[in-house]
Amino acid sequence: MDSATLLQTFANSIVAGSIYAVIAVGLAMAFGVMKMANFAHGEFFMVGAYTVYVCYGLMGWPFPVAVLMAIPVVALLGVATERFIFRPTRENVLAGFMATAGLALILQVLIGQIWGVGLMRSVPTPYMGALDLGGVRIGWQRVLVIPSAIAMLFALWYFLYHAKAGKALRACAQDPETARLQGININRMTMLAMAISGALAGLAGALMAPIHPVTPYMGHGIILTAFIVVVMGGMESIAGAILAAVLLGFIHTFVTTLSDAVTAQMVGVACMAVVLIVRPQGLLGRVKA
Amino acid sequence: MLSLKDVWAHYGSVAAVKGISVEVAEAEIVTLIGSNGAGKTTTMRTICGLHKPTKGEILFEGKRINGLDPEKINALGIAMVPEGRHVFPQLTVMENLEMGAYLRKDAAGIRRDLEEMFTHFPILKERHKQLAGTMSGGQQQMVAMARALMSGPKVLLLDEPSLGLSPLMTQQIAKIIKKLNEIGRTIVLVEQNARLAFLLAKRAYVMEIGRISMSGLTVDLKDDPKVRETYLGV
C-alpha cells in the first residue's frame, strides 16, 4: 500500500467510523433505556435515506433541507415503534424482539411496494468535487459526514449531561424503578430515547443516501455492523459505541481495501469475538453489580 | 396523614401482606419492624406505588392513593428511600439530588433545600462531583436520603436504612433521622434492627408473616416479653 492509498484509506475509515458511530449510538441508547434491542434500527436508517431520496431526489428540495427532514421523520417512526411495539411488549423481551424483526420486514416491503425493489434509487450527488489533501481526494459528500456526525454526537452528549431530561434518561437507564420513585415518567423517557435513536439513524441514512445504494434492503448490512459495534463497545455504553465504531470503521475499510468486503465483515465479527473473550462486558462496558 | 386500611398485597397468588392497617400522624416517626419476609418491604413498595395492592385502601391526606403510579405518588408528597439505597450509580451525587427534585419547578426552593441537605450531610457537598456508585454504603445511604428529601416530601419512607452499614455509620444515620424528625418531618421507618427503630420511633407496628401482630408506643412495646425476646434479643 503506497502512502497515497494509505492516506485515502485512512480518510475513508474516518467517514465509515463516523457513520457507524451515529447509527450504533442510537441503538445503544435505545437498548440502555429499554433493555430491548431494536432489530428494525437498520430500517430506520433506510427510511432516513428514502426521505432524502423523496425530498431531494424526487421533489427537488435542497439537500440540507431533505437531510433535516429525515431527522423528525425517523424520530417519529421511533416514537411510534416505542408506543406500539416496545411498550406493549415491555414485560416480554422475546415478543419485543420478534415484533421489531417483523417491523423491519414490513418497512422493507412497504418501501419496496411504493418505490420499487429494482436495483437502486439514484440520488444525485448534491456536492460535486472533492477535498484535495496533497494527492488524497475525498468527495465533499463524504467529508460532510464527519462534521455532521460529530455535531450530532456532541449535541447528544450535551443533552445527556447538561439537560434535566437527559440526566433523567440516564437515571432511567441505570435504575428504572428508582427513577419512577423520583417522579420520572418512564413511558415518556422510553419515548424520548426512541425519538433520539430514530433521529440518529435517520440522520445517518440521510447523509449516506447520495453515497450508498438506496434500496429497501440497505438496512441489512448496517444493522449487523451496528450490533457488532454495540456489543464490542459494551451494550449500553455510548462512549464505548463511539470508540468501537471508529475501530470497526478502520478495520472494515482497511480490510476491504487490502482484500474484499466479505473478508472485512468476517474480520469485524472475529474482532468482536476476541473482545468478548478478553473483556466480556465490552470495551467500555461495566460489570453489573 | 397517611393511613392504610386493610391492605392486601400479592406476588402472583402468594399473599405477602394480609390485611394490615397502619396510621401515621403528621410529624411523627412510625416504625414497622419484623423479621425477614414479614412483608415490611412489600408494605413500603405498596405505599409508594411500585406494587399495587390487591385489596384495601391507602389514604394520604384524606385522598385515596392506592393504584396510582409511583411518579404520581411522589408528586403528592411521599418520597421513598428504597431498601439497598438504589442510588443512580453513574450519576454524580449532585445529579442524584437533582433527580430527587425532578418534578419541582421552584428553582429558589430547590437551591434552599440543596443547602439544607448539605448541612445535614456535609460529606455530600464535599463529594458532589463524585459518581454515587463509587461511594461507601453509608455515604450512598446519605445520597439516597438527601435525594428523597429533595422532592420536599410530606412523608419520608425509609426502608432498612441501616442495612449493611457499620455500627458507627448506623449511628450517624440514626442521628440524622432523629434530627429530620425534630424539624417536623413525618417518617415511616422499616427496620430489622429493632433496637435502633425503638430508639427513634414513638410508635411501632410489629409485622409477622404479612400481618400486624402488635402495635403501640415503643416505650410500652419494648417491655413486652415477646418483643424483648424476638426482636430486641434480650
Side-chain angles (χ1 to χ4, degrees):
Chain A
M1 194 184 268
D2 58 54
S3 68
T5 316
L6 183 72
L7 260 171
Q8 183 76 56
T9 312
F10 190 87
N12 289 344
S13 302
I14 293 178
V15 173
S18 306
I19 279 296
Y20 292 170
V22 173
I23 296 167
V25 161
L27 191 63
M29 189 151 142
F31 186 83
V33 175
M34 299 187 302
K35 309 292 177 258
M36 292 219 254
N38 177 12
F39 284 107
H41 197 68
E43 278 58 41
F44 284 17
F45 166 82
M46 180 267 287
V47 171
Y50 268 85
T51 308
V52 165
Y53 165 65
V54 171
C55 293
Y56 168 73
L58 294 183
M59 302 190 334
W61 295 8
F63 180 71
V65 176
V67 171
L68 288 179
M69 271 303 288
I71 296 174
V73 165
V74 187
L76 266 178
L77 182 59
V79 167
T81 307
E82 191 281 326
R83 185 65 192 82
F84 298 111
I85 293 183
F86 285 118
R87 199 181 300 180
T89 59
R90 195 176 289 167
E91 307 299 314
N92 187 342
V93 176
L94 193 60
F97 285 175
M98 294 302 288
T100 56
L103 176 68
L105 297 175
I106 291 170
L107 288 173
Q108 287 171 9
V109 172
L110 190 70
I111 297 284
Q113 283 293 317
I114 302 173
W115 289 290
V117 184
L119 242 187
M120 54 188 248
R121 308 292 104 197
S122 70
V123 175
T125 311
Y127 305 110
M128 292 296 182
L131 174 67
D132 200 321
L133 292 171
V136 178
R137 294 172 58 81
I138 322 160
W140 280 113
Q141 200 54 55
R142 288 176 186 273
V143 174
L144 178 70
V145 169
I146 302 168
S148 306
I150 292 173
M152 192 76 171
L153 293 175
F154 181 80
L156 177 66
W157 170 82
Y158 191 86
F159 173 74
L160 288 175
Y161 286 84
H162 293 275
K164 190 168 148 189
K167 293 173 191 177
L169 207 53
R170 284 159 58 217
C172 267
Q174 290 167 27
D175 193 333
E177 197 168 75
T178 309
R180 299 189 74 185
L181 287 177
Q182 317 310 318
I184 299 169
N185 184 322
I186 289 278
N187 286 339
R188 242 182 265 163
M189 285 298 140
T190 48
M191 217 175 227
L192 179 63
M194 280 304 287
I196 295 172
S197 178
L200 289 165
L203 173 80
L207 290 173
M208 289 305 274
I211 42 183
H212 186 286
V214 176
T215 80
Y217 309 110
M218 65 191 286
H220 256 337
I222 206 77
I223 189 78
L224 183 63
T225 304
F227 271 114
I228 294 172
V229 166
V230 171
V231 170
M232 259 171 83
M235 290 313 276
E236 298 172 29
S237 168
I238 286 174
I242 295 174
L243 174 66
V246 174
L247 283 176
L248 207 66
F250 273 88
I251 293 166
H252 274 179
T253 312
F254 270 87
V255 178
T256 305
T257 309
L258 293 170
S259 174
D260 59 80
V262 177
T263 315
Q265 197 67 265
M266 279 162 42
V267 173
V269 176
C271 288
M272 177 186 77
V274 170
V275 168
L276 283 181
I277 292 165
V278 180
R279 225 183 124 73
Q281 71 271 36
L283 294 173
L284 299 182
R286 293 184 183 90
V287 184
K288 280 270 146 74
Chain B
M1 172 166 226
L2 177 69
S3 63
L4 281 69
K5 292 185 174 151
D6 188 32
V7 170
W8 287 71
H10 289 74
Y11 289 105
S13 60
V14 182
V17 174
K18 305 168 187 170
I20 67 166
S21 296
V22 173
E23 286 291 332
V24 182
E26 194 162 353
E28 73 169 341
I29 304 189
V30 171
T31 186
L32 209 58
I33 62 165
S35 54
N36 243 340
K40 308 184 301 289
T41 292
T42 306
T43 304
M44 294 291 251
R45 289 173 62 85
T46 307
I47 297 172
C48 70
L50 285 175
H51 197 89
K52 305 283 177 232
T54 32
K55 226 183 100 185
E57 246 191 343
I58 302 173
L59 298 174
F60 178 58
E61 298 186 309
K63 267 201 319 203
R64 267 183 75 125
I65 58 162
N66 44 306
L68 291 184
D69 286 330
E71 47 269 30
K72 296 266 163 52
I73 291 176
N74 177 283
L76 290 174
I78 298 179
M80 159 111 141
V81 180
E83 183 181 0
R85 307 179 263 281
H86 283 268
V87 296
F88 298 115
Q90 302 300 327
L91 257 54
T92 63
V93 169
M94 191 58 131
E95 288 172 332
N96 266 276
L97 301 189
E98 281 174 51
M99 288 301 106
Y102 185 73
L103 291 177
R104 290 176 65 177
K105 302 269 182 273
D106 56 325
I110 294 175
R111 263 199 306 280
R112 200 182 51 237
D113 282 2
L114 196 60
E115 283 312 311
E116 192 193 325
M117 290 311 119
F118 288 155
T119 56
H120 291 314
F121 311 99
I123 185 85
L124 301 189
K125 183 168 193 171
E126 209 175 291
R127 302 275 176 95
H128 70 279
K129 281 186 178 159
Q130 192 174 332
L131 293 183
T134 63
M135 300 180 92
S136 76
Q139 290 166 350
Q140 289 191 16
Q141 185 62 44
M142 293 179 186
V143 173
M145 283 172 67
R147 179 181 65 189
L149 289 166
M150 282 304 291
S151 66
K154 294 169 187 154
V155 176
L156 182 66
L157 308 177
L158 293 172
D159 196 353
E160 303 273 10
S162 78
L163 193 76
L165 300 190
S166 70
L168 196 71
M169 196 44 101
T170 302
Q171 256 180 28
Q172 212 177 330
I173 296 285
K175 252 190 223 150
I176 295 166
I177 296 174
K178 189 136 198 111
K179 196 161 129 205
L180 288 172
N181 177 246
E182 278 163 11
I183 57 174
R185 296 278 182 191
T186 311
I187 297 171
V188 181
L189 172 69
V190 156
E191 261 298 341
Q192 278 193 59
N193 183 345
R195 275 165 192 280
L196 175 72
F198 277 28
L199 218 62
L200 291 170
K202 201 180 71 185
R203 291 192 308 117
Y205 291 85
V206 182
M207 268 189 100
E208 263 174 82
I209 44 173
R211 291 199 173 81
I212 304 271
S213 59
M214 268 182 280
S215 64
L217 294 173
T218 48
V219 282
D220 300 333
L221 281 173
K222 74 171 194 285
D223 295 326
D224 183 280
K226 184 159 178 259
V227 170
R228 284 172 68 91
E229 188 190 339
T230 318
Y231 300 104
L232 299 174
V234 195

